[in-house]
Amino acid sequence: MKLRDIEQMQSAGLISAEQAAAIAEHFRLNGNRMQKWLLFCVSSLAGALILAGIIMLISANWEFIPPAAKMGTGIALMVGFWAAYGFLREKMPMLAETMGLLGGGMWLANIALYGQIFQLQNPFVEGCALFFSGIVLLPFLAKQRLLIAAVIITSFVLLIAAQQSNHSPLHLPITSDELLTCLFLLGTFWWVFSEFCRSSDGAAKAYAWTCIPLSLLAVCTTQGLILYGDVHNLADRIIGYSVPGAALLLLLVFKPKAADWLPWIPFALLTVGIIPAAQAFDEAHYELPRIIYCFLYALLWIWNGCSAGRIDWINYGTLLVCFTGIGLMANIMQSLTQSGFVLIIMGFIMLGSAILLEQQRRRLIRSIKSTPAEQN
C-alpha cells in the first residue's frame, strides 16, 4: 500500500481523515522513503569508494608495507566501521546500516588479506565457511537489509562448495542430484523466512524484501526442473525422501498468516513434489504431465494469492503460466497431439482462473462499499 492509495480512499469517502492518518502511520508511509533510500545509496557508494581506494593504496604499496601494518589496517577498518555503526545507529539509521555493511565487507577483505600474507592454501570451502560464520548472525543482531542478502547467497555457495571440495574436512559426500535436493530445502527455508519477515511487526520486517527475489527464484526453479530438469537416482536414497519431507514440514508449520489451509496444503504438496516429479517425468513421452504439473502449480499460486489478498502471489502464478506457455510453444513443433491436449487443458485452467479472479474482485468491491455503512 502506498500513501497515494490512502489519499485516494480518503477522497472517495471510504475512510475518514483520522483513519487515513492512522493507516499511514501504521505502515510508516508518512516519511519520504525516496529521500531515505537516496541517502542509503549515496552513503553506500561513498563507503564503497573509500574502501576501494584504501584497498588500491595497499595493493600499490603491497611490497613496502609490513605484514603487521597490513593486518592492523584491516582490523582497524573493520572495527572502525562497526564503531561508526554504533554511533550512528540512533541518529542516522540509514547511514549506520551502510557502516555495518562495510564492516561485514571488511571481514571478507581481512580473510583474503590474511590468506595472502601467510600464503594459505586452504580450500575455498573453508574460507567461505569462515566468512559465513562471521556474518550469519549480524543481520539478526543489527538490522542489515543488504547483509541478509549476503548471508543467503553465501549459504548456497557454501553448500555447493562443500559438495565439490573433496580434500577438505567440510566435504559433503553427496551426489549432484542429492545436492539439488539440499539446495531446494535451503531455498524453501529462506523463502519461509522471508514470508515470516513480511508478516512480522518487529525488526525482521526490514528483510521482507527478500521474498521477491526468492519467489522469482522459486518460479524459475519450478519451470526449469519440471520442463527441462534431468534428475536421477533419488528414489532409492534416503535423502530423496527426507529432504522433501523436511521441506513439507517447513511449509506446513510456518504457513504464512494470510494464507488459508485449503489452497495452501495442495500448494505445499506440489512444491515438495517438484524434484520427485522432475525425476518421474524424465523421459521424453512425459512432456504432457510436465506441462500440466506446471499449470496446476501456477494455478495454486494464483488461488493462494486470491485467498490471501496477495497480488504478488497472483503475479508469480501468472509469470509461471507465461514460462510454461513458452515451453508449450516450443513443444508444439514436436508433438501436435500432446500440444493439442495441453492447449485444451490450458484453456480450461485459464477460464477457471478468470472466473476465480472475477469473483475475488467483486467480493473486494462489496467489502469496500460496505465499510462506510458499517462505520455509521
Side-chain angles (χ1 to χ4, degrees):
M1 178 177 292
K2 299 180 180 179
L3 186 60
R4 187 193 316 169
D5 300 329
I6 301 176
E7 293 174 350
Q8 291 177 353
M9 294 174 66
Q10 180 183 352
S11 301
L14 301 177
I15 57 177
S16 63
E18 293 78 10
Q19 290 174 325
I23 294 173
E25 182 65 25
H26 176 75
F27 289 102
R28 299 180 178 88
L29 300 177
N30 289 323
N32 195 329
R33 299 179 62 185
M34 185 61 67
Q35 292 181 357
K36 293 181 179 179
W37 278 107
L38 179 61
L39 174 62
F40 178 74
C41 294
V42 172
S43 60
S44 299
L45 178 59
L49 291 175
I50 295 172
L51 182 61
I54 294 173
I55 293 175
M56 287 183 180
L57 287 176
I58 295 176
S59 300
N61 301 277
W62 181 263
E63 298 179 356
F64 306 101
I65 301 177
K70 297 175 185 176
M71 294 185 292
T73 302
I75 295 175
L77 285 173
M78 184 174 64
V79 174
F81 283 134
W82 281 109
Y85 167 82
F87 179 76
L88 299 172
R89 184 174 183 179
E90 300 296 335
K91 299 179 180 180
M92 303 180 69
M94 282 288 185
L95 186 57
E97 190 171 340
T98 301
M99 294 297 104
L101 177 64
L102 294 175
M106 277 307 304
W107 172 244
L108 176 61
N110 283 332
I111 292 175
L113 177 65
Y114 276 66
Q116 182 68 25
I117 291 175
F118 297 103
Q119 297 297 316
L120 301 178
Q121 301 297 325
N122 299 71
F124 170 77
V125 64
E126 297 180 7
C128 184
L130 182 60
F131 172 68
F132 182 75
S133 63
I135 67 167
V136 64
L137 295 180
L138 293 181
F140 305 100
L141 299 176
K143 186 175 73 172
Q144 296 290 329
R145 272 169 283 201
L146 292 181
L147 203 54
I148 189 65
V151 171
I152 294 174
I153 295 173
T154 306
S155 65
F156 286 101
V157 174
L158 178 59
L159 185 57
I160 296 173
Q163 189 266 343
Q164 296 179 350
S165 299
N166 298 324
H167 304 290
S168 172
L170 299 179
H171 172 63
L172 287 178
I174 56 177
T175 64
S176 298
D177 292 332
E178 291 172 335
L179 173 64
L180 179 63
T181 60
C182 293
L183 291 172
F184 178 83
L185 177 60
L186 184 60
T188 302
F189 166 78
W190 284 120
W191 186 79
V192 170
F193 172 77
S194 68
E195 286 293 335
F196 165 78
C197 293
R198 183 185 178 91
S199 60
S200 174
D201 294 327
K205 185 74 173 180
Y207 305 145
W209 70 270
T210 59
C211 184
I212 298 176
L214 289 171
S215 297
L216 292 175
L217 177 63
V219 170
C220 296
T221 300
T222 300
Q223 64 93 25
L225 287 176
I226 297 298
L227 297 182
Y228 316 108
D230 187 16
V231 183
H232 305 283
N233 303 324
L234 283 178
D236 56 343
R237 297 177 182 270
I238 188 172
I239 198 171
Y241 298 99
S242 58
V243 171
L248 180 61
L249 186 63
L250 280 174
L251 291 171
L252 295 180
V253 174
F254 300 100
K255 177 185 71 70
K257 295 180 180 179
D260 294 332
W261 281 108
L262 181 58
W264 184 257
I265 291 178
F267 173 79
L269 291 174
L270 259 69
T271 299
V272 300
I274 289 174
I275 292 182
Q279 180 181 9
F281 302 152
D282 185 56
E283 300 297 333
H285 59 277
Y286 285 123
E287 292 179 354
L288 178 61
R290 291 179 182 179
I291 299 293
I292 295 175
Y293 193 101
C294 284
F295 274 123
L296 289 178
Y297 192 55
L299 182 61
L300 287 174
W301 270 106
I302 297 174
W303 186 12
N304 276 278
C306 294
S307 177
R310 292 281 298 274
I311 299 178
D312 55 335
W313 287 357
I314 298 176
N315 293 336
Y316 298 141
T318 306
L319 184 63
L320 184 56
V321 169
C322 295
F323 285 163
T324 309
I326 293 174
L328 173 63
M329 294 301 106
N331 181 46
I332 282 181
M333 300 303 296
Q334 299 179 10
S335 175
L336 292 177
T337 302
Q338 289 186 356
S339 299
F341 280 117
V342 174
L343 285 173
I344 295 173
I345 296 173
M346 177 183 174
F348 280 112
I349 291 177
M350 294 296 292
L351 180 61
S353 301
I355 295 173
L356 180 61
L357 290 173
E358 178 63 18
Q359 290 177 345
Q360 293 295 327
R361 186 186 67 84
R362 293 183 179 182
R363 184 183 304 173
L364 179 61
I365 293 175
R366 288 195 299 268
S367 64
I368 293 176
K369 289 183 178 180
S370 63
T371 301
E374 294 177 356
Q375 293 174 352
N376 297 330

